[in-house]
Amino acid sequence: MTTSTLSASPSSAISPTNPATGLTSAEADQRKASGLGNTAGPSTGRTYGQIFRENFFTFINISLLLVGALLIAMGLVKEAILASGLAVLNALLGILQEVIAKRRLDKIALLNSAMATVIRDGKELTILPADIVQGDILDVGPGDQFFVDGTLVTGSLKADESLLTGESDPIQKDPGSPVSSGSFCVSGQGRYLAVNVGDASIAAKIAEGARATKIALTPLQREVNQIIRLLLTIAAFFLAMIVLSSLLHDYPFKDTVLAAAVVLGIVPSGLFLMIVVTYSMATIRLAGQNALVQQVNAVESLSNVDVFCMDKTGTLTANALQLQEVRPISGSEADARAMLGTLVRSTGGGTGTSDAIAAACPGQAVAPIDEIPFSSALKWSAASLTDGAISGTFAIGAPEFLGRALGDPSLTPPSEWVDQGWRVLLFASSPETGSLHDASGNPTLPPSMRPTAWLAFIDQLRPNARETLQGFQDAGITIKIISGDNPETVAALARQAGMPHDAVLVSGLELEAMDDAAFAEAADTATIFGRVTPEQKRKLVTVLKERGAYVAMTGDGVNDVLSLKQADLGIAMQSGSQATRNAAEIVLLNDSFSALPAAFQEGQRIRRGLQGVLELFLTRVFTVTLVILAVLMVEAGFPFSPGTLTLLTMLTVGIPTFGIALWATPGMAPRRMSPAIVRFVLPASITLAIAAFLVYILIFQISNLSLTDLPDGGILERRGLSVTDTAAREGLIHTLVLGGLVLVAFAAPPTQWWAVVKRNTRDWRPTMLALLMVPVYVIILLRDDLRGFFDLHALRPQDYLIIAGIVGIWTLAVREVWKRNIFGRYFGYDHRRPDQPLPESQL
């Protein structure tokens, strides 16, 4: 028998509390007032201070604020606002969005938090874990969490301490055994005395240490961080060039600071805002669909799922069991019902099966001599009772497993029950009474145990089960049903819900006999798995992940905890055990299983939206970077000011990307975004940079040619960082703004003509939002105050027409580049021929 390695030593002497009556309400209030309450509770997310610090005090924000402070010190308030204002706005909007999301989700989490059962004034009372006090008596059963450290005072149970120790074997707990917060009851029932509460508990100490550890980044976050590191390196290179040039050529300090502000603007601080806002919006929308997100990476995980493992109970069915029939094997039906009624009332039941039996079979509770609680490993339970007429040892369980314990594994239930999808259990009995454990503490049954009756239970399909399964199919997700029931029974129900009749079935006994290769093949090809143990569930999830699947797992019972923790995304039912809800990243409120297909599609939509956001942001960044590099190389001044860069960012990515994220369509996004992003960004940024640079240098040279009457050095003074020739900068910004708005249509194609690098969305809304930026831009150009604020100057009407024509030519050119896959074949990241379309998963 496994023994515990954890101890919950009292932090101070605890006076014994009567397990039957517990504390009085007055004693509990007094202890809480004295500081003996369980004040340390689980965090529902980041604190308001963390949200503020992590949004405001980023490296790029601090750098831009320092530049802004220098500009203010020089009296350049407008330039300071343009250089640093976006950083402050991003931070404030991010803080506001996260605070709104936190407040709403905290309310939902509070309404659906786990509750503790304490004994006070001789009565059971349900309270919040924060209201537990030292010396309380708490009641626990299968699936219940231990909220504080303590000592078991009555009953016998097995506890899972894997969250604390990493060991998955249940630990036997008898009166006097220590129990630890953070563990949970697997089987059995009992009461324990609360000893260490609040910060003194083991779970609180572990949580305190965990606060210093870094949260694991999601795949998307890792990709974005790699991109940001690259952009920071580029920005550092340009800053070094600017500082060195200023020292060598003695450029004015003001111009150096302004150029530094532009270079820092290369790093897309607005990208962080878009990711935060998109995830926060998704979390709120999922809460509206009765899906409570408990971990930040759950939103991204939803978008990656391609295999969904689910149980039958509570998903396909309503989890409202009814005892349909008792068919005697030996003796009469009346005797079998009498024994069943007494058995379930005399043991620590509380399961759907025992409740269904109790509702259909009369009986009186008696004190058991010994008991074997149900466990998912055994798949049967037993008790030895003596009460006059009802005396003996009785057992209920899965026929395959209980039959093996009886020495007759070939017992076959009525075939017509299985074909109807009824749940079938075997009932066995023996006149012998006594201990049901051997000298080593292992469960054992009397040799005289014999099959007594077959039990048939019905559980109605959920009304929308068929539509739910169809929703998974529409989302491109493969279903695996993993259940503790007979595989034929599960298959019959699945067929009623619309699953194909040729679905491959595998039983847990068959899995047990397989080697690793056969097991992996069965996990990949089979659809329905029946009579599986918790360890087999966990292994199935592990094997599916090893074969490249991104696996979601749903469950409601304590037997699902191992597989939920192993899955890429764990989903628990609200009515499930406390341990199951704690192990899951998402909890389905009101057990709304039908919300899952929509939630998965929401995740896919979010990821596709973020892909479009990244594409536009990075195209803007690399285009600006290439233009700056080209202009500095030919010593043609400096192409941007804080005002023009702010305007470019606002019109081409700041506003349009909200539409891209908000109106993205669902569909499987590529597992790794980098190749898809490169396919969009590289051709777009290089071709647009070339077009913009040509416009800039052409206007710059024309302007210089008209100044030949200046004294020697006049032209040279126009070069460097203090370009007084604004026409070149003006033409450049117009080209980039119009080109950036055109890219929105390529990122979210409204028609097939635009769908050369992304699939046709048939949605005009993102493009219309981009088109709305044109009149906004015109208004800015027409108003002297706005034009001056953004460092713009009016050009001649024919100049605008020429620039529009150049952008039109560029549009046709970049479309042809994408269509012919010129960059992909040249750089080697995509070897398709021009006539080969992109795979759907990469569009």
Side-chain angles (χ1 to χ4, degrees), residues 83 396 407 539 717:
I396 303 176
K539 188 175 180 181
E717 287 184 0

Side-chain angles (χ1 to χ4, degrees), residues 490-773:
V490 178
L493 281 168
R495 285 192 288 269
Q496 294 175 31
M499 291 284 283
H501 285 67
D502 59 351
V504 179
L505 317 182
V506 177
S507 72
L509 295 177
E510 292 172 326
L511 291 174
E512 191 177 323
M514 294 178 181
D515 59 21
D516 289 344
F519 191 102
E521 184 65 21
D524 194 35
T525 58
T527 302
I528 296 173
F529 303 85
R531 296 297 189 215
V532 296
T533 64
E535 179 58 30
Q536 288 173 332
K537 277 189 180 183
R538 184 199 64 78
K539 188 175 180 181
L540 283 170
V541 172
T542 301
V543 168
L544 288 169
K545 289 174 62 178
E546 290 173 350
R547 294 175 79 89
Y550 201 94
V551 182
M553 176 76 194
T554 185
D556 59 357
V558 68
N559 61 315
D560 297 317
V561 171
L562 287 174
S563 50
L564 283 175
K565 290 192 291 184
Q566 186 64 36
D568 294 298
L569 176 65
I571 302 171
M573 299 292 184
Q574 181 185 359
S575 64
S577 66
Q578 296 167 357
T580 308
R581 296 198 301 270
N582 290 341
E585 286 83 21
I586 293 178
V587 176
L588 296 181
L589 308 180
N590 304 321
D591 293 354
S592 54
F593 178 67
S594 59
L596 271 181
F600 282 126
Q601 290 187 339
E602 176 74 12
Q604 293 174 355
R605 192 184 64 76
I606 290 162
R607 187 170 174 85
R608 293 185 74 93
L610 285 177
Q611 179 180 334
V613 169
L614 282 167
E615 288 165 351
L616 291 179
F617 263 100
L618 295 181
T619 299
R620 194 273 300 178
V621 166
F622 285 112
T623 302
V624 169
T625 301
L626 291 173
V627 169
I628 292 176
L629 183 61
V631 170
L632 290 179
M633 287 179 64
V634 299
E635 295 186 0
F638 196 78
F640 298 102
S641 69
T644 56
L645 189 63
T646 299
L647 183 64
L648 174 66
T649 301
M650 179 182 71
L651 293 179
T652 61
V653 294
I655 297 174
T657 51
F658 276 97
I660 294 285
L662 185 63
W663 297 315
T665 56
M668 291 300 292
R671 184 67 55 84
R672 291 186 68 249
M673 281 194 183
S674 299
I677 291 173
V678 168
R679 188 178 297 111
F680 184 95
V681 171
L682 198 61
S685 58
I686 291 178
T687 57
L688 183 57
I690 292 173
F693 175 70
L694 289 177
V695 169
Y696 179 89
I697 204 68
L698 179 63
I699 298 176
F700 187 87
Q701 291 300 327
I702 292 174
S703 299
N704 280 331
L705 289 174
S706 66
L707 298 174
T708 55
D709 57 334
L710 288 178
D712 292 342
I715 296 176
L716 293 178
E717 287 184 0
R718 293 180 178 278
R719 298 172 182 175
L721 300 180
S722 55
V723 178
T724 56
D725 176 15
T726 59
R729 184 181 288 176
E730 193 83 1
L732 171 71
I733 195 65
H734 295 327
T735 305
L736 291 179
V737 167
L738 293 178
L741 294 177
V742 168
L743 286 175
V744 175
F746 282 116
T751 66
Q752 193 59 40
W753 191 88
W754 298 94
V756 289
V757 68
K758 306 289 290 292
R759 71 175 183 178
N760 185 4
T761 65
R762 298 179 177 85
D763 187 351
W764 277 93
R765 289 175 296 180
T767 303
M768 293 303 296
L769 181 60
L771 289 174
L772 283 176
M773 297 300 100

